[in-house]
Amino acid sequence: MAVLQAGGGVRRYYNINGWLFVAPALGLIGVFMVYPILWSLWMSFQTGKGLTTKFGGFANIIRLWNDPVFIKALSNTTIFFVIQVPIMLFLALIVAAALNNPKLWGRSFFRTAIFLPCVTSLVAYSVLFKSMFAADGVVNGALQALHIISSPIPWLTDPFWAKVLIIIAITWRWTGYNMIFYLSAMQNIDKSIYEAARIDGISARGRFLYITIPMLKPVILFTMVTSTIGTLQLFDEVYNFTEGKGGPSNETLTLSLYIYNLTFKFMPSFGYAATVSYVIVVMVALLAFLQFYATRERD
Amino acid sequence: MLSDRTTALLSSIATYLLLGFVSFLSVFPFLWMAIGATNTSIDVINGKPTFGSALMTNITGFFTQVDVPLVFWNTAKIAIVSTILTLAISSLAGYGFEMFRSRVRERIYQFMLLTLFIPFAALMIPLFIIMGRAGLINTHIAVMLPVIASAFMIFYFRQSTKAFPSELRDAAKVDGLKEWQIFLFIYVPVMRSTYAAAFIIVFMLSWNNYLWPLIVLQSNDTKTITLVISSLASAYYPDYGVVLVGTVIATLPTLLVFFLMQKQFVQGMLGSVK
């Protein structure tokens, strides 16, 4: 009996301590994460401008379908994500594979150089890129000097090239970041596996495809999910390339920028903006699920 | 048919070409930033690739258009305070979740990890209204509050806690230390490299934060460095020489931290996936 009571006491002591350690974090997450996300779900069923709102049911969702600006923002965001994420991750993987050679001369120099873009703030590098990609700027100058193009590319004013610029910029900023994840995972792979494969006469390419890539699967999944979430929330670059307009004529408008404009630029329509924000929530959830599903372990 | 040696040579040439090219592209914008800061706005826009003589003019221009000490103070204050609070609260939680396991808390932890998938865009409108009602718009507290409890950092500290030797904790218990004493006097010192790595990452995220400060900081005397640079660059005719001086000033602290503490920097980034 005494033992049981002591046991209960220990368990209670253990449990109280457990709650005390996590309580501050849970409190803050509750107030600044869980409560707002539920509130914006509720908001997305409200219509009206400013502070006079009323319950509108699915009115906002119907409004989405008939809103050409939303469709534009959705398709731009999708284009950025579908094209940029695979290019960047592929590049990061190749660079990591090249760097994963202990005998490589100047290895730490290359690694540091390629990682360097990660230390810049999104605003600083956006502004920097805007100056480099000006019509008569250094990039067009170099491309013309190398005879790759004959006339300057209108990076900031042409619908197509404005998108290309954004893809180039994000790829510059994040390739090194993802490369570091791959490189570290490659260095954790047991060398004896490669040795055994080499003795069995499997080529370097075969070893990369059938050992490295499968062993990297969890990390590739991680980078896919984080890059997807990042690209779907694209804001800083577009805002700073286009003075907050998403131009030329909404060609680089993203969902996050549209939400910002709906809320803080015009007479705020909180309800509709919240509905657009839930489009991002649903896309993130769906794509993360798809990526987990596609890379799941098959028996 | 190529001999093995020739193939090896060709593939190593290809490797160096690739790495050299990617490294050049990665580093060139930094060089361009330094060059541009010494040139006039016209020269920057016209892509003049050599150092100029306008550096002093640009620096003077930046210091007259921007209250640099105040902006620096605002940015540093927000970054340091929110980093210290983030580390304290997240490490307490990471330690608590790992050391005192229960079925309920395990469920809560898993639920909490789901919040990593919530895009900030879906939080910003309610957060803005909350801050407005609390009268916190235009205050630095409003910038800090939503970032302090970070599910990512809690995850990071929980993962790192798995490497904390439990003998240390048992010995401390035998010596009669209370749980908070074990945390404060044993866990924190033992895990200092984990804290160092986390500090760098959180500090950098805060230093570079943009969207949320853009929403809540509306008057000039509360603004941070990213907001100032952004507004200088969005002028109708931005003075790019001055703007690039600003980007150099904004980038130097994080660049410095990176070069001084590269190991912890990388460890902090990777820590969470190991």
Side-chain angles (χ1 to χ4, degrees):
Chain A
M1 198 60 194
V3 174
L4 264 180
Q5 269 175 355
V10 167
R11 195 174 303 146
R12 195 160 67 229
Y13 164 85
Y14 178 88
N15 208 15
I16 287 174
N17 271 294
W19 286 116
L20 285 178
F21 273 99
V22 301
L26 290 185
L28 284 165
I29 290 182
V31 176
F32 297 111
M33 203 68 149
V34 180
Y35 174 58
I37 195 74
L38 294 176
W39 189 0
S40 66
L41 180 63
W42 179 80
M43 238 183 237
S44 65
F45 293 103
Q46 308 285 316
T47 55
K49 289 204 173 231
L51 295 169
T52 48
T53 54
K54 62 178 195 322
F55 187 77
F58 293 106
N60 284 327
I61 295 172
I62 295 160
R63 184 174 161 190
L64 284 179
W65 289 112
N66 302 314
D67 178 357
V69 184
F70 164 74
I71 302 289
K72 191 82 224 169
L74 180 66
S75 75
N76 289 341
T77 307
T78 310
I79 289 171
F80 289 141
F81 144 71
V82 168
I83 295 175
Q84 193 270 332
V85 174
I87 292 178
M88 171 183 69
L89 295 185
F90 182 68
L91 190 61
L93 197 58
I94 291 182
V95 170
L99 283 173
N100 188 32
N101 172 5
K103 280 179 280 181
L104 188 81
W105 178 85
R107 188 176 178 217
S108 68
F109 166 78
F110 287 130
R111 192 185 52 210
T112 305
I114 295 169
F115 184 73
L116 213 53
C118 289
V119 307
T120 59
S121 80
L122 300 183
V123 172
Y125 98 83
S126 302
V127 170
L128 185 64
F129 268 55
K130 200 180 162 190
S131 78
M132 289 169 61
F133 285 82
D136 301 317
V138 67
V139 173
N140 275 336
L143 291 176
Q144 280 175 300
L146 293 168
H147 297 288
I148 295 173
I149 53 170
S150 53
S151 58
I153 294 174
W155 295 103
L156 292 157
T157 48
D158 179 82
F160 173 76
W161 291 110
K163 286 196 186 75
V164 174
L165 171 58
I166 292 196
I167 289 171
I168 292 175
I170 315 170
T171 308
W172 179 81
R173 175 63 173 73
W174 295 101
T175 300
Y177 174 84
N178 290 296
M179 178 274 290
I180 287 287
F181 284 93
Y182 294 153
L183 187 58
S184 135
M186 284 176 185
Q187 284 165 352
N188 287 337
I189 300 176
D190 192 348
K191 300 279 175 296
S192 60
I193 303 176
Y194 287 108
E195 199 49 36
R198 211 176 53 82
I199 291 166
D200 286 345
I202 294 166
S203 69
R205 222 184 77 191
R207 294 198 294 270
F208 183 74
L209 284 179
Y210 300 114
I211 300 175
T212 312
I213 297 286
M215 297 287 266
L216 249 50
K217 228 159 124 184
V219 185
I220 294 176
L221 174 66
F222 173 85
T223 56
M224 261 163 44
V225 173
T226 50
S227 309
T228 305
I229 296 177
T231 316
L232 287 176
Q233 300 192 58
L234 194 62
F235 177 86
D236 298 18
E237 289 88 344
V238 181
Y239 189 89
N240 285 292
F241 279 142
T242 65
E243 291 96 35
K245 294 187 201 75
S249 56
N250 290 336
E251 287 295 330
T252 58
L253 185 76
T254 61
L255 289 170
S256 284
L257 184 54
Y258 189 41
I259 296 165
Y260 178 86
N261 286 342
L262 281 172
T263 318
F264 302 105
K265 275 274 168 68
F266 318 119
M267 177 76 173
S269 41
F270 291 131
Y272 186 54
T275 312
V276 179
S277 78
Y278 256 81
V279 172
I280 305 183
V281 175
V282 171
M283 282 174 80
V284 168
L286 272 178
L287 289 166
F289 174 78
L290 264 178
Q291 287 164 344
F292 274 110
Y293 186 78
T295 53
R296 76 194 184 283
E297 294 301 324
R298 292 181 185 83
D299 296 318
Chain B
M1 203 53 196
L2 293 169
S3 74
D4 277 1
R5 280 190 64 140
T6 327
T7 336
L9 188 70
L10 281 178
S11 90
S12 82
I13 289 175
T15 305
Y16 283 111
L17 278 179
L18 170 80
L19 291 176
F21 185 61
V22 177
S23 301
F24 172 76
L25 292 183
S26 300
V27 175
F28 179 76
F30 289 91
L31 186 65
W32 175 254
M33 181 161 76
I35 293 173
T38 68
N39 279 317
T40 60
S41 192
I42 305 289
D43 282 342
V44 174
I45 293 301
N46 288 333
K48 177 170 169 270
T50 49
F51 285 97
S53 55
L55 180 62
M56 279 325 288
T57 328
N58 290 337
I59 292 178
T60 320
F62 187 73
F63 276 74
T64 43
Q65 290 174 45
V66 177
D67 186 347
V68 180
L70 178 70
V71 170
F72 234 82
W73 166 242
N74 289 341
T75 319
K77 186 177 81 181
I78 294 173
I80 291 170
V81 174
S82 64
T83 305
I84 290 173
L85 290 175
T86 306
L87 259 53
I89 286 173
S90 313
S91 65
L92 276 170
Y95 179 85
F97 277 122
E98 181 62 21
M99 289 296 183
F100 307 93
R101 297 196 193 188
S102 80
R103 205 182 300 154
V104 184
R105 277 192 297 277
E106 214 58 34
R107 277 286 149 77
I108 293 177
Y109 179 74
Q110 286 159 359
F111 179 74
M112 185 199 80
L113 288 185
L114 280 182
T115 63
L116 286 172
F117 293 95
I118 295 178
F120 181 72
L123 301 172
M124 67 189 188
I125 304 166
L127 283 177
F128 178 73
I129 301 175
I130 291 172
M131 295 305 167
R133 285 185 186 164
L136 292 174
I137 295 298
N138 248 328
T139 66
H140 293 152
I141 298 173
V143 181
M144 297 187 234
L145 276 176
V147 297
I148 293 172
S150 140
F152 186 71
M153 274 296 132
I154 296 171
F155 177 66
Y156 169 75
F157 273 103
R158 181 174 186 173
Q159 294 299 101
S160 309
T161 304
K162 291 185 200 292
F164 177 68
S166 59
E167 306 87 64
L168 282 179
R169 192 161 164 259
D170 297 339
K173 268 192 170 163
V174 173
D175 288 345
L177 264 70
K178 296 200 170 59
E179 292 295 342
W180 66 268
Q181 290 171 318
I182 298 177
F183 178 82
L184 201 60
F185 301 126
I186 297 176
Y187 178 83
V188 175
V190 167
M191 304 298 280
R192 59 184 178 277
S193 74
T194 304
Y195 278 93
F199 189 95
I200 293 172
I201 298 308
V202 180
F203 181 87
M204 203 178 72
L205 286 177
S206 170
W207 184 271
N208 292 337
N209 198 6
Y210 181 62
L211 176 52
W212 179 235
L214 176 71
I215 294 168
V216 282
L217 300 180
Q218 294 165 346
S219 71
N220 274 330
D221 56 327
T222 57
K223 283 190 174 163
T224 59
I225 186 102
T226 47
L227 297 180
V228 168
I229 291 172
S230 168
S231 72
L232 282 180
S234 62
Y236 201 73
Y237 287 112
D239 186 329
Y240 275 108
V242 171
V243 169
L244 290 181
V245 165
T247 62
V248 171
I249 292 176
T251 311
L252 273 182
T254 50
L255 203 62
L256 212 64
V257 170
F258 172 67
F259 276 115
L260 293 177
M261 307 182 76
Q262 211 179 124
K263 217 182 107 200
Q264 286 89 341
F265 196 104
V266 172
Q267 190 199 333
M269 264 183 184
L270 297 175
S272 49
V273 284
K274 277 201 183 132

